[in-house]
Amino acid sequence: MDKRQQPSKESVREWLRTEVERRRPPPDPSQIRRELGWDLVRATVPPPCQKR
């Protein structure tokens, strides 16, 4: 018979931490825009409908 080795407490905690992190909801759209720098682009370039 094969004997399974019990994982260490640290490895179980690490696994649980990563599982919990995966289940978080996505950030707010405003935070995504801020992190991507979209607010900076919007401030310096006028929208296409205003170009002539």
Side-chain angles (χ1 to χ4, degrees), residues 7-43:
S8 67
K9 290 180 183 179
E10 292 82 14
S11 64
V12 172
R13 287 180 185 135
E14 179 67 23
W15 175 83
L16 184 58
R17 185 183 63 76
T18 57
E19 286 297 308
V20 169
E21 285 178 355
R22 288 183 190 166
R23 293 183 183 140
R24 287 187 182 159
D28 293 341
S30 60
Q31 181 181 355
I32 295 171
R33 287 186 199 101
R34 189 171 48 250
E35 289 181 16
L36 293 175
W38 289 0
D39 291 336
L40 300 174
V41 172
R42 198 177 328 145

Side-chain angles (χ1 to χ4, degrees), residues 42 45-51:
R42 198 177 328 145
V45 179
C49 63
Q50 293 181 356
K51 289 183 179 179

